Structure formats: structure tokens, C-alpha cells
Amino acid sequence: MLPLLNGSCLCGAIRYRVNAMPFDADLCHCRQCQKSTGSVVGAWMDFKREQVNWLNQQPKEYASSEHVRRGFCQHCGTQISFRDLRYPDYLTLSITSLDDPSSISPNYHIYTDSQLKWLTIADECPKYRAGRS
């Protein structure tokens, strides 16, 4: 039986189900993630697009850069997805949008050059000053 991950935005207008575990997961400290999520770090998990099923409506997207589309709920504002147009087969979802966000653990940190000075990273995950190559 395939694993099922379920999640939603804050108001529940967007719900999704994923029929696989993510192939990767990270904590992003870049300024765009900080500003778009309203948090000190973005927590993300990666899937093939065909593994993600939107159950009611899909996120509205904002072009935050030439290649990046950040998906959000037009009702409550929750950022729920991240899509890089250069990699059309993949979709990134917010770990914290899961019904059980504790079920997925990030594997590494990226863009730690933008990490807030008062945030101490105490885990053993690899840390990359910029993106992971």
C-alpha cells in the first residue's frame, strides 16, 4: 500500500494528498522564503508532480523570480507550494502544511548565509551557504 500524506492551507480551501514519501526535504534560510512564509526558515519537501493530487482547488501562483512560482491560498494567504520552471516534473510543498508535519524530517539546510543571526542551528543536518549543488 502506498503511503499517503495529506495537507492543507490554514483555512482548508486547498487540500492535497500525496501518494509517496518525498524524495528530499530541506530547511531554506533564503530571504525570499523568510519573507514569503513570514517565518525564520522555510521547511520544504520535494515530489514528482504526478504524485501530488489537489483535492479541491489548486494554489494561486506568484512569480517571485524569473523561474520560481510560489503557490498560495487566495483566501487565507498560506504559502503551500514552490515550483521552479526549469524543473517542470517536480513540485515542492511546505512541510508545515501537512496534517502531521512531524512525519517528515528535513535532510539539510540551504542558504545559511541568509540565516538570521539570532537563530542557532543545533541539528546534525548538512548546511550549505547557498543552494545545494
Side-chain angles (χ1 to χ4, degrees), residues 58-79:
Q58 293 189 17
K60 178 99 171 139
E61 289 190 324
Y62 168 70
S64 62
S65 67
E66 179 183 354
H67 301 289
V68 172
R69 302 298 179 263
R70 292 175 183 270
F72 64 95
C73 174
Q74 61 186 347
H75 300 288
C76 67
T78 300
Q79 185 180 338

Side-chain angles (χ1 to χ4, degrees), residues 50-94:
E50 68 267 8
Q51 296 171 321
V52 178
N53 297 299
W54 302 107
L55 301 178
N56 41 14
Q57 67 182 46
Q58 293 189 17
K60 178 99 171 139
E61 289 190 324
Y62 168 70
S64 62
S65 67
E66 179 183 354
H67 301 289
V68 172
R69 302 298 179 263
R70 292 175 183 270
F72 64 95
C73 174
Q74 61 186 347
H75 300 288
C76 67
T78 300
Q79 185 180 338
I80 204 162
S81 65
F82 176 101
R83 213 167 46 92
D84 189 321
L85 300 177
R86 295 169 292 190
Y87 306 97
D89 295 335
Y90 301 105
L91 182 65
T92 299
L93 297 174
S94 165

Side-chain angles (χ1 to χ4, degrees), residues 1 8 10 16 19 31 39 46 48 50 63 77 84 86 102 114 118 131 133:
M1 178 142 178
S8 70
L10 179 62
Y16 64 86
N19 61 11
R31 288 296 293 144
S39 183
D46 301 316
K48 291 185 177 180
E50 68 267 8
D84 189 321
R86 295 169 292 190
S102 294
S114 302
W118 48 261
S133 302

Side-chain angles (χ1 to χ4, degrees), residues 114-133:
S114 302
Q115 173 189 335
L116 298 179
K117 302 289 185 226
W118 48 261
L119 177 66
T120 302
I121 301 173
D123 62 41
E124 300 298 319
C125 293
K127 295 156 190 68
Y128 300 92
R129 296 175 62 123
R132 190 173 87 164
S133 302

